[in-house]
Amino acid sequence: LAAFATLAIQVAILAFFVMASEANLQEDTIDIQFTWKCPRDSDGCDDRADWTKVGWFIFCMLMIAFLAKDMIGGCKLIYHSSKIKIRHTRGARFRYLIGGTGLCSITVFALYVSTVYNRAIATSNTDIIVNSVVVLFIMDLDEWIFFALDAINEKWTEHAADTKVSDMEKEIARQRAQIESQQGEIDSQRKDLRMLREAVEKIQESQAAAAFDFGTAECGGNRSLDSFCSF
């Protein structure tokens, strides 16, 4: 319930930025900045915006650095919700799907809001950075609310902590079972290799004995080879 409430608060706050960036001249609440100036004594107009490609490059780096974690986490939740072979209940997989979809959606929406708002009001590189940081701070609102709830009453957040610990324990157990399985396969291959080596040694010994018997028989039955066999 707290997660959905936080998501709704984030969407509502970001919606204010979208409405403030709309080019509606009839509204006095818009924040849009008109950078084109047309002097009365000139036939042309000049763009007074001071932002450059460097400012937008920094904007992209900030968005990737702060939003990539949420996007990857949301995609992983959606992926795990589709894996039936993993021993999760249907309710748990449904929660993964809803949580992953909500996380990816709010992340994409934040990227859209930050881009639209900067295009509407940013007149310099510093404006782009400041506006981006404000939107990214709103994206961290869920963590601050979680910390506040945990400070008020730890029992309210025990379930989330227990779920994380349980998932980690399951992942460790799965990896341990996989390692034990691989170790068993390695031991079996070593055993087969040892048996093969012993079989090869027995074949070599039998071949050597047969060659010795054959040589002895040849030397005994042919007098012309007595001088050679004497060696």
Side-chain angles (χ1 to χ4, degrees):
L1 182 61
F4 283 107
T6 304
L7 183 62
I9 294 172
Q10 289 176 321
V11 172
I13 295 175
L14 293 175
F16 282 110
F17 287 89
V18 176
M19 292 185 292
S21 60
E22 292 181 354
N24 187 0
L25 301 179
Q26 297 179 354
E27 295 289 339
D28 296 333
T29 58
I30 62 174
D31 296 335
I32 190 169
Q33 296 292 326
F34 298 97
T35 59
W36 286 92
K37 304 297 182 181
C38 301
R40 295 182 180 180
D41 57 350
S42 176
D43 295 334
C45 298
D46 298 328
D47 187 5
R48 303 296 177 85
D50 294 332
W51 53 261
T52 62
K53 292 182 179 180
V54 176
W56 286 107
F57 176 77
I58 297 175
F59 164 80
C60 294
M61 292 298 99
L62 288 173
M63 292 297 108
I64 293 173
F66 284 90
L67 298 182
K69 178 183 177 182
D70 292 339
M71 179 59 70
I72 294 173
C75 292
K76 284 185 176 181
L77 286 175
I78 296 174
Y79 173 73
H80 284 297
S81 68
S82 63
K83 295 182 69 175
I84 303 178
K85 294 183 180 180
I86 298 180
R87 295 182 178 180
H88 289 309
T89 62
R90 183 176 300 178
R93 287 189 282 114
F94 181 73
R95 289 195 300 271
Y96 288 163
L97 178 61
I98 298 299
T101 303
L103 189 58
C104 290
S105 300
I106 191 64
T107 303
V108 174
F109 186 53
L111 178 60
Y112 166 77
V113 170
S114 185
T115 304
V116 170
Y117 194 69
N118 274 313
R119 292 286 295 178
I121 76 165
T123 59
S124 63
N125 292 335
T126 54
D127 287 343
I128 294 175
I129 297 173
V130 171
N131 296 334
S132 302
V133 171
V134 170
V135 174
L136 293 175
F137 176 78
I138 297 173
M139 289 299 297
D140 288 338
L141 189 62
D142 56 341
E143 296 183 5
W144 293 109
I145 292 178
F146 180 84
F147 293 148
L149 294 176
D150 185 67
I152 296 173
N153 192 342
E154 294 181 356
K155 294 183 179 180
W156 294 351
T157 58
E158 282 182 355
H159 178 70
D162 294 340
T163 301
K164 291 182 179 180
V165 173
S166 179
D167 292 340
M168 292 176 61
E169 291 177 349
K170 289 180 180 179
E171 182 65 20
I172 293 173
R174 185 186 66 81
Q175 293 181 357
R176 184 178 298 172
Q178 185 177 2
I179 293 173
E180 292 177 354
S181 177
Q182 293 177 352
Q183 186 64 35
E185 293 179 359
I186 293 173
D187 294 339
S188 177
Q189 291 177 356
R190 287 179 178 175
K191 184 178 179 180
D192 294 340
L193 183 60
R194 184 168 58 251
M195 294 176 62
L196 180 61
R197 186 181 299 171
E198 293 176 354
V200 171
E201 291 177 353
K202 289 181 180 180
I203 293 174
Q204 290 177 347
E205 291 176 357
S206 62
Q207 289 178 349
F212 179 77
D213 294 340
F214 178 77
T216 303
E218 289 291 330
C219 291
N222 193 345
R223 295 180 179 180
S224 61
L225 299 177
D226 289 344
S227 59
F228 176 76
C229 294
S230 64
F231 291 101

